[in-house]
Amino acid sequence: MPSARDTPSPIDPESIQVPLSYEPDPADLALSSVPGQEMFDPRKRKFSAEELKPQPMIKKARKVFIPEDMKDERYWARRRKNNVAAKRSRDARRLKENQIAIRASFLEKENALRVEVADIRKELGRCKNILAKYQARHGPL
């Protein structure tokens, strides 16, 4: 049975820096980038806890029927302005959701790689211990 000193100390996967070649689908990147601006990079962009909180559900006001004879130019100008604002809001929400999904995918891959590196380092530590015992008993290889 191995003693406590034969067992390598555990490695915290979070402390491991791993180079990760992560290339998301170009279509996904296009959907998560603002046109005319720099492409979204899931390696660099970090989201705050506040940004990741779901937005509260707000009850919509009841629709008020407006008779045709009251739909003047001012009404239609307000409708156009509201439609543009609603589209802008939906597009911004969709963009942020896409960015979060790509960042989450990147972090999952990075985390899996870190765990794998930690396991390999632990195994290497065990092998070094076995080799050291062998060399102490039988001399260097």
Side-chain angles (χ1 to χ4, degrees):
M1 184 171 148
S3 66
R5 71 181 170 88
D6 294 338
T7 306
S9 58
I11 298 167
D12 176 22
E14 291 297 314
S15 67
I16 299 172
Q17 295 297 316
V18 289
L20 181 61
S21 59
Y22 175 72
E23 294 303 323
D25 184 358
D28 289 341
L29 276 182
L31 290 173
S32 61
S33 301
V34 178
Q37 291 184 8
E38 189 176 324
M39 284 296 269
F40 174 72
D41 187 354
R43 292 175 200 85
K44 295 177 185 172
R45 176 70 164 94
K46 293 178 172 64
F47 293 94
S48 68
E50 192 62 35
E51 287 177 296
L52 295 173
K53 281 185 182 173
Q55 294 299 309
M57 294 296 289
I58 299 170
K59 282 192 174 183
K60 291 171 65 171
R62 286 184 180 261
K63 289 188 176 184
V64 179
F65 178 74
I66 306 290
E68 279 301 316
D69 61 334
M70 293 185 70
K71 294 181 181 176
D72 58 0
E73 189 51 41
R74 183 171 155 252
Y75 169 85
W76 290 113
R78 286 176 58 204
R79 290 299 325 131
R80 284 190 295 272
K81 187 176 175 183
N82 181 263
N83 289 344
V84 169
K87 181 182 183 331
R88 201 171 41 236
S89 175
R90 285 191 299 270
D91 290 345
R93 188 194 71 235
R94 209 172 290 123
L95 180 83
K96 186 175 170 188
E97 287 172 354
N98 290 339
Q99 288 178 345
I100 290 170
I102 290 175
R103 173 78 175 154
S105 172
F106 166 75
L107 291 175
E108 286 171 357
K109 285 183 173 50
E110 184 182 49
N111 192 44
L113 196 56
R114 281 185 177 163
V115 168
E116 185 179 346
V117 168
D119 290 345
I120 291 170
R121 285 185 179 176
K122 192 174 177 184
E123 182 66 25
L124 177 64
R126 281 195 213 104
C127 292
K128 283 181 177 179
N129 284 338
I130 292 169
L131 180 62
K133 284 181 183 177
Y134 179 86
Q135 287 179 338
R137 186 175 292 167
H138 301 288
L141 292 177

